[in-house]
Amino acid sequence: MAEPIAVTRVVRPLHPFFVGLGGALLMAALFTDFMYSSNSLMQWANFSAWLITGGLILALVSAIVLIIDFALGRGGPIRWLDFGLLAVAAVLSIVNVFIHTRDAWTSVVPSGITISAIVTILLAVAGLRGWCVTATRLAGRGEIA
């Protein structure tokens, strides 16, 4: 006689959504830094500082959501390479936001745009890996992915 298949739902973690949003803001800062270095309009430097600040706020939100994911059992084991990429990007972005508080040209060129480029590369690698800090469970037999 056939056994009924138990239908359970695999719960995915919520933190990758917030990590991706914050990463997009931090990567957009490279574009605004480039625009400032090409035309010296100070508003582009202001946009960069706002984008970096917003990205760091979303990084904090994603860290809180990651803790909630662990508390609710949604998160698997930590993937240390992804965690390290995002942590280094966050620390460099904190340094970068302080650099962007300088006046005029030195707020972006050369150190601000260099750090923005490094952060963008780190986040691009993290984005290609899926923005997820934890390993996700695959759907088993009878589970809906």
Short mmCIF file of all heavy atoms in Angstrom, two decimals, residues 13 15-16 19 62 66 70 76-84 86 129-136:
data_model
loop_
_atom_site.label_atom_id
_atom_site.label_comp_id
_atom_site.label_asym_id
_atom_site.label_seq_id
_atom_site.Cartn_x
_atom_site.Cartn_y
_atom_site.Cartn_z
N PRO A 13 16.11 31.51 4.71
CA PRO A 13 16.49 32.64 5.57
C PRO A 13 16.11 33.97 4.93
O PRO A 13 16.03 34.11 3.71
CB PRO A 13 18.01 32.50 5.70
CG PRO A 13 18.43 31.64 4.57
CD PRO A 13 17.27 30.78 4.19
N HIS A 15 17.78 36.98 5.70
CA HIS A 15 18.89 37.94 5.66
C HIS A 15 19.46 38.20 4.27
O HIS A 15 19.93 39.31 4.03
CB HIS A 15 20.00 37.54 6.63
CG HIS A 15 20.80 36.35 6.19
ND1 HIS A 15 20.41 35.06 6.46
CD2 HIS A 15 21.95 36.27 5.48
CE1 HIS A 15 21.29 34.24 5.95
NE2 HIS A 15 22.24 34.94 5.34
N PRO A 16 19.43 37.26 3.30
CA PRO A 16 20.02 37.58 1.99
C PRO A 16 19.35 38.76 1.29
O PRO A 16 20.00 39.50 0.56
CB PRO A 16 19.85 36.29 1.18
CG PRO A 16 19.78 35.22 2.19
CD PRO A 16 19.08 35.84 3.36
N VAL A 19 20.95 41.84 2.85
CA VAL A 19 22.36 41.90 2.46
C VAL A 19 22.47 42.41 1.03
O VAL A 19 23.31 43.25 0.70
CB VAL A 19 23.04 40.52 2.63
CG1 VAL A 19 24.44 40.54 2.05
CG2 VAL A 19 23.09 40.12 4.08
N SER A 62 20.63 43.70 8.31
CA SER A 62 20.83 42.31 7.88
C SER A 62 21.51 41.48 8.96
O SER A 62 21.22 40.29 9.09
CB SER A 62 21.61 42.26 6.57
OG SER A 62 22.91 42.76 6.74
N LEU A 66 19.89 38.23 10.48
CA LEU A 66 20.66 36.99 10.53
C LEU A 66 20.55 36.34 11.91
O LEU A 66 20.37 35.13 12.02
CB LEU A 66 22.13 37.26 10.18
CG LEU A 66 23.08 36.06 10.28
CD1 LEU A 66 22.71 34.99 9.26
CD2 LEU A 66 24.51 36.52 10.07
N PHE A 70 18.84 32.69 12.81
CA PHE A 70 19.40 31.63 13.65
C PHE A 70 18.47 31.28 14.79
O PHE A 70 18.30 30.11 15.11
CB PHE A 70 20.76 32.05 14.21
CG PHE A 70 21.89 31.79 13.28
CD1 PHE A 70 22.75 32.80 12.93
CD2 PHE A 70 22.11 30.53 12.74
CE1 PHE A 70 23.81 32.57 12.07
CE2 PHE A 70 23.16 30.28 11.88
CZ PHE A 70 24.01 31.32 11.54
N GLY A 76 21.37 27.84 8.38
CA GLY A 76 22.22 26.67 8.53
C GLY A 76 23.56 27.10 9.08
O GLY A 76 23.70 28.19 9.66
N PRO A 77 24.57 26.29 8.88
CA PRO A 77 25.91 26.68 9.34
C PRO A 77 26.45 27.86 8.54
O PRO A 77 26.10 28.05 7.38
CB PRO A 77 26.75 25.42 9.10
CG PRO A 77 25.98 24.61 8.11
CD PRO A 77 24.54 24.96 8.28
N ILE A 78 27.29 28.66 9.18
CA ILE A 78 27.82 29.86 8.54
C ILE A 78 28.85 29.45 7.48
O ILE A 78 29.72 28.61 7.73
CB ILE A 78 28.47 30.79 9.57
CG1 ILE A 78 27.39 31.41 10.42
CG2 ILE A 78 29.32 31.86 8.91
CD1 ILE A 78 27.83 32.53 11.31
N ARG A 79 28.73 30.08 6.31
CA ARG A 79 29.75 29.93 5.27
C ARG A 79 30.76 31.04 5.51
O ARG A 79 30.48 32.21 5.27
CB ARG A 79 29.13 30.03 3.88
CG ARG A 79 28.13 28.93 3.63
CD ARG A 79 27.65 28.88 2.22
NE ARG A 79 27.15 30.17 1.74
CZ ARG A 79 26.52 30.34 0.59
NH1 ARG A 79 26.31 29.33 -0.20
NH2 ARG A 79 26.10 31.53 0.22
N TRP A 80 31.93 30.67 6.00
CA TRP A 80 32.89 31.65 6.50
C TRP A 80 33.48 32.53 5.41
O TRP A 80 33.82 33.68 5.67
CB TRP A 80 33.98 30.95 7.32
CG TRP A 80 33.41 30.43 8.59
CD1 TRP A 80 33.12 29.14 8.90
CD2 TRP A 80 33.00 31.20 9.71
NE1 TRP A 80 32.56 29.05 10.15
CE2 TRP A 80 32.48 30.31 10.67
CE3 TRP A 80 33.02 32.56 10.01
CZ2 TRP A 80 31.98 30.73 11.90
CZ3 TRP A 80 32.53 32.98 11.24
CH2 TRP A 80 32.02 32.07 12.16
N LEU A 81 33.61 32.03 4.19
CA LEU A 81 34.12 32.87 3.12
C LEU A 81 33.15 34.02 2.83
O LEU A 81 33.57 35.18 2.73
CB LEU A 81 34.35 32.03 1.84
CG LEU A 81 34.78 32.83 0.62
CD1 LEU A 81 36.14 33.48 0.85
CD2 LEU A 81 34.79 31.96 -0.62
N ASP A 82 31.87 33.70 2.74
CA ASP A 82 30.87 34.75 2.48
C ASP A 82 30.79 35.72 3.65
O ASP A 82 30.69 36.93 3.46
CB ASP A 82 29.50 34.13 2.23
CG ASP A 82 29.49 33.27 0.98
OD1 ASP A 82 30.21 33.64 0.03
OD2 ASP A 82 28.78 32.26 0.96
N PHE A 83 30.83 35.18 4.86
CA PHE A 83 30.80 36.04 6.04
C PHE A 83 32.02 36.96 6.06
O PHE A 83 31.91 38.15 6.35
CB PHE A 83 30.76 35.18 7.31
CG PHE A 83 30.66 35.97 8.57
CD1 PHE A 83 29.45 36.50 8.98
CD2 PHE A 83 31.79 36.20 9.34
CE1 PHE A 83 29.36 37.24 10.14
CE2 PHE A 83 31.71 36.95 10.51
CZ PHE A 83 30.48 37.47 10.91
N GLY A 84 33.18 36.43 5.73
CA GLY A 84 34.40 37.23 5.71
C GLY A 84 34.36 38.32 4.64
O GLY A 84 34.77 39.46 4.89
N LEU A 86 31.71 39.81 3.40
CA LEU A 86 30.78 40.85 3.81
C LEU A 86 31.31 41.64 5.01
O LEU A 86 31.10 42.86 5.09
CB LEU A 86 29.41 40.24 4.12
CG LEU A 86 28.70 39.63 2.92
CD1 LEU A 86 27.45 38.88 3.36
CD2 LEU A 86 28.36 40.69 1.89
N ARG A 129 27.95 34.67 -5.24
CA ARG A 129 27.79 33.49 -4.39
C ARG A 129 26.41 33.43 -3.74
O ARG A 129 26.12 32.49 -3.02
CB ARG A 129 28.88 33.46 -3.33
CG ARG A 129 30.27 33.26 -3.95
CD ARG A 129 31.36 33.20 -2.92
NE ARG A 129 31.12 32.27 -1.85
CZ ARG A 129 31.41 30.98 -1.88
NH1 ARG A 129 31.94 30.46 -2.96
NH2 ARG A 129 31.17 30.21 -0.83
N GLY A 130 25.56 34.44 -3.95
CA GLY A 130 24.18 34.35 -3.51
C GLY A 130 23.76 35.24 -2.36
O GLY A 130 22.65 35.09 -1.86
N TRP A 131 24.60 36.13 -1.89
CA TRP A 131 24.30 37.06 -0.79
C TRP A 131 23.96 36.35 0.52
O TRP A 131 23.51 36.98 1.46
CB TRP A 131 23.14 37.98 -1.12
CG TRP A 131 23.37 38.96 -2.21
CD1 TRP A 131 22.65 39.04 -3.36
CD2 TRP A 131 24.33 40.02 -2.28
NE1 TRP A 131 23.12 40.07 -4.15
CE2 TRP A 131 24.15 40.68 -3.51
CE3 TRP A 131 25.34 40.45 -1.44
CZ2 TRP A 131 24.92 41.75 -3.90
CZ3 TRP A 131 26.11 41.52 -1.83
CH2 TRP A 131 25.89 42.16 -3.04
N CYS A 132 24.10 35.08 0.61
CA CYS A 132 23.68 34.34 1.80
C CYS A 132 24.89 33.99 2.65
O CYS A 132 25.89 33.48 2.15
CB CYS A 132 22.93 33.07 1.39
SG CYS A 132 22.07 32.28 2.74
N VAL A 133 24.80 34.26 3.93
CA VAL A 133 25.90 34.00 4.85
C VAL A 133 25.83 32.57 5.38
O VAL A 133 26.83 32.00 5.77
CB VAL A 133 25.88 35.01 6.02
CG1 VAL A 133 26.93 34.72 7.05
CG2 VAL A 133 26.05 36.41 5.49
N THR A 134 24.66 31.98 5.36
CA THR A 134 24.49 30.63 5.89
C THR A 134 24.27 29.65 4.75
O THR A 134 23.80 30.01 3.68
CB THR A 134 23.29 30.56 6.84
OG1 THR A 134 22.10 30.89 6.13
CG2 THR A 134 23.47 31.49 8.02
N ALA A 135 24.61 28.41 5.01
CA ALA A 135 24.32 27.35 4.05
C ALA A 135 22.83 27.06 4.12
O ALA A 135 22.23 27.05 5.20
CB ALA A 135 25.12 26.10 4.39
N THR A 136 22.21 26.86 2.99
CA THR A 136 20.77 26.57 2.96
C THR A 136 20.55 25.08 2.77
O THR A 136 21.33 24.40 2.11
CB THR A 136 20.08 27.35 1.82
OG1 THR A 136 20.72 27.02 0.60
CG2 THR A 136 20.16 28.84 2.07
#
